[in-house]
Amino acid sequence: MSAHTPGPWRVVDGREIVGPPHSDVIVAYLPEQGMETDTPVGRAFNARLIAAAPDLLATLEAVVEFWAGGDVPAEIDAQMRAAIAKARGEA
């Protein structure tokens, strides 16, 4: 398991990503200006994507474990493992 602030995370005020539940620990903060997607819609999407990160990682890890030794195409297996390694800071 990766060492990160436990999820689930949630978006507060459209800019702060907070977690774990029942806490006010700011995991990430999206500034109002200076981002490539410097629009309310772009910031909201980025915030939701960041807030979903712990769930996405856990799901991908479960899929890799489920398919271990199975009939998954090598290219997809490599992409999944590379994404997990990137999230864990191992790539």
Side-chain angles (χ1 to χ4, degrees), residues 1-4 52-64 80-81 83-89:
M1 181 71 177
S2 301
H4 61 76
D55 299 323
L56 293 169
L57 177 59
T59 301
L60 190 55
E61 289 172 332
V63 169
V64 167
M80 291 188 302
R81 292 177 187 278
I84 290 169
K86 185 176 182 180
R88 291 179 177 165

Side-chain angles (χ1 to χ4, degrees), residues 8-85:
W9 296 347
R10 66 190 187 284
V11 179
V12 177
D13 296 331
R15 291 194 316 259
E16 294 179 351
I17 293 80
V18 178
H22 312 296
S23 81
D24 291 326
V25 174
I26 297 174
V27 176
Y29 180 81
L30 301 176
E32 279 201 44
Q33 297 179 343
M35 297 176 59
E36 186 174 321
T37 54
D38 196 13
T39 67
V41 171
R43 280 190 300 279
F45 179 82
N46 287 341
R48 289 190 308 270
L49 183 60
I50 293 167
D55 299 323
L56 293 169
L57 177 59
T59 301
L60 190 55
E61 289 172 332
V63 169
V64 167
E65 175 141 343
F66 177 80
W67 271 344
D71 193 24
V72 60
E75 181 180 318
I76 293 173
D77 184 66
Q79 289 173 342
M80 291 188 302
R81 292 177 187 278
I84 290 169

